[in-house]
């Protein structure tokens, strides 16, 4: 294993220290590295809080700022943050309008966010489950929450910035999640620093269809195919799951897992866009890049979110975070 490390025991805290120092105009670090929050809070705005295991950067800390999250709670690599982290974050960023937790559907995340919500006042939750690859996995009961979580965070972040109240925000989040589908493919494994070896073995001529963002297995192991063939299968799975709703304007998001260059991500975007538009989808908005990663894994996911006038306007709204900046 070759990684830039001082110690596997301090990799998270040292990384957080560097991250916050690099973006000190946007964010501050909570006590004991429990959370990252917006430097400037907006009084009377519903606070959006998310989090999860580290290793998926820039999700979630890189999405803290104007127009997105108010706080993010980082766990150890691929390990859920603890309820006291969420409670501390909620207390720090709640300016009187309540808090909305945005939670990826993984058992540890759901359990710990549930506990924090039960012990806090004025908290509601939205659970994301956009992955169409598998119904159940070793990490989740039901579908996993993956790259579509970013879409939910962006749209809800804009709505909260504009003054939407807690209950309507929750309803909007559930609607956006319901209009979003994702699926990924891995070409290599990832290497967790504490383990020091790849999470799974995969041959040079193989790929894992439907892999999760922690390296958990997907639909099947297969021989490596062309980009067009890979995109065809993923797009068919997404469109098939959406059914008749897979018509009209949509956001197409091609996300890298950390070890795939942008040249290849744009190539995959080109393939996916052609396939979707041949089948009645109008790609009205786009995002390409490594935003929901799996450490150093080579691979990508494709996410499609069906849009309406309201969600399109909210996607277009200004945002200023470490990882996503537009219109400011």
């Amino acid at each position: 294993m070759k990684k830039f490390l001082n110690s596997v025991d301090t990799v998270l805290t040292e990384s957080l220290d560097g991250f916050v120092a690099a973006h000190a105009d946007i964010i501050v670090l909570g006590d004991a590295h429990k959370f990252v929050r917006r430097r400037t809070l907006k009084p009377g705005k519903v606070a959006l809080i998310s989090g999860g295991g580290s290793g998926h950067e820039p999700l979630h800390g890189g999405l803290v700022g104007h127009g997105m999250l108010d706080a993010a709670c980082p766990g150890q690599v691929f390990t859920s943050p603890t309820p006291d982290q969420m409670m501390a974050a909620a207390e720090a960023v709640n300016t009187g309008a309540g808090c909305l937790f945005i939670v990826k559907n993984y058992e540890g995340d759901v359990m710990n966010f549930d506990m924090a919500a039960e012990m806090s006042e004025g908290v509601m939750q939205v659970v994301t489950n956009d992955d169409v690859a598998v119904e159940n996995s070793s990490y989740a009961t039901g579908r996993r929450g993956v790259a579509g979580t970013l879409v939910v965070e962006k749209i809800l972040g804009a709505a909260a910035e504009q003054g939407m109240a807690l209950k309507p925000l929750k309803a909007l989040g559930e609607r956006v999640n319901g209009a979003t589908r994702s699926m990924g493919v891995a070409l290599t494994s990832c290497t967790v620093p504490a383990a020091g070896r790849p999470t799974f073995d995969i041959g040079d001529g193989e790929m894992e269809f439907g892999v999760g963002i922690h390296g958990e297995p997907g639909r099947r192991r297969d021989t490596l195919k062309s980009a067009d063939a890979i995109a065809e299968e993923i797009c068919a799975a997404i469109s098939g799951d959406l059914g008749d709703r897979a018509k009209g304007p949509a956001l197409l998001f091609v996300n890298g897992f950390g070890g795939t260059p942008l040249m290849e991500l744009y190539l995959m975007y080109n393939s996916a866009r052609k396939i979707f538009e041949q089948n009645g989808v109008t790609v009205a908005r786009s995002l390409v890049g490594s935003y929901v990663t799996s450490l150093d894994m080579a691979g990508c996911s494709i996410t499609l979110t069906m849009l309406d006038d309201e969600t399109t306007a909210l996607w277009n709204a200004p945002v200023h975070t470490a990882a996503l900046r537009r219109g400011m």
Side-chain angles (χ1 to χ4, degrees):
M1 178 183 73
K2 291 183 179 179
K3 291 185 179 292
F4 293 109
L5 294 172
N6 293 313
S7 164
V8 295
D9 297 326
T10 61
V11 60
L12 176 57
T13 56
E14 290 178 312
S15 177
L16 285 171
D17 287 340
F19 171 64
V20 172
H23 301 285
D25 58 322
I26 303 173
I27 53 177
V28 295
L29 187 61
D31 290 341
H33 295 80
K34 287 184 178 180
F35 58 87
V36 174
R37 70 160 177 86
R38 285 173 67 162
R39 173 169 287 281
T40 303
L41 300 176
K42 186 174 182 179
K45 185 186 84 67
V46 174
L48 303 185
I49 301 169
S50 192
S54 297
H56 305 305
E57 291 77 17
L59 194 82
H60 295 275
L63 304 175
V64 172
H66 179 94
M68 288 196 76
L69 298 175
D70 292 276
C73 303
Q76 293 295 323
V77 174
F78 295 173
T79 302
S80 173
T82 57
D84 69 297
Q85 290 180 252
M86 295 89 157
M87 293 172 64
E91 183 178 356
V93 299
N94 187 349
T95 62
C99 300
L100 184 67
F101 289 165
I102 301 173
V103 188
K104 300 187 302 301
N105 189 34
Y106 287 93
E107 289 184 357
D109 289 358
V110 170
M111 179 180 67
N112 289 347
F113 272 98
D114 278 348
M115 291 176 62
E118 290 171 1
M119 293 185 286
S120 303
E121 294 289 335
V123 173
M124 291 186 174
Q125 300 188 74
V126 170
V127 177
T128 61
N129 60 352
D130 51 300
D131 190 2
V132 302
V134 291
E135 289 294 337
N136 293 287
S137 76
S138 56
Y139 283 73
T141 300
R143 293 182 170 180
R144 303 174 292 212
V146 288
T149 307
L150 177 147
V151 181
V152 173
E153 291 176 354
K154 171 63 184 79
I155 291 175
L156 291 191
E161 208 72 52
Q162 295 172 13
M164 186 176 286
L166 183 57
K167 287 184 179 179
L169 274 173
K170 174 179 170 63
L172 175 62
E174 290 170 347
R175 180 159 66 87
V176 174
N177 177 67
T180 302
R181 300 290 187 276
S182 301
M183 185 172 166
V185 60
L187 306 183
T188 70
S189 179
C190 57
T191 301
V192 176
R197 61 182 182 278
T199 301
F200 60 88
D201 295 321
I202 186 168
D204 289 342
E206 294 181 320
M207 59 184 178
E208 183 80 23
F209 254 113
V211 70
I213 57 174
H214 306 91
E216 64 270 38
R219 287 188 169 188
R220 71 178 192 281
R221 183 72 55 88
D222 203 347
T223 55
L224 184 62
K225 293 180 169 56
S226 69
D228 283 344
I230 294 169
E232 183 69 50
E233 178 164 344
I234 294 176
C235 293
I238 289 171
S239 296
D241 201 84
L242 284 168
D244 293 340
R245 290 179 291 172
K247 304 289 182 183
L251 162 70
L252 175 57
F253 172 25
V254 174
N255 171 66
F257 286 151
T260 301
L262 269 172
M263 182 177 71
E264 295 175 36
L265 296 180
Y266 278 113
L267 188 153
M268 288 297 294
Y269 170 87
N270 187 55
S271 296
R273 181 173 185 137
K274 288 178 181 178
I275 293 163
F276 280 131
E277 292 200 327
Q278 287 168 0
N279 289 280
V281 171
T282 301
V283 177
R285 297 294 181 271
S286 304
L287 183 65
V288 180
S290 295
Y291 293 97
V292 184
T293 63
S294 184
L295 292 169
D296 53 349
M297 180 186 287
C300 74
S301 60
I302 297 172
T303 296
L304 192 73
T305 299
M306 307 312 299
L307 297 172
D308 55 28
D309 290 345
E310 179 186 22
T311 53
T312 300
L314 292 169
W315 179 262
N316 290 343
V319 59
H320 187 80
T321 70
L324 197 61
R325 301 186 185 192
R326 184 170 63 241
M328 294 186 70

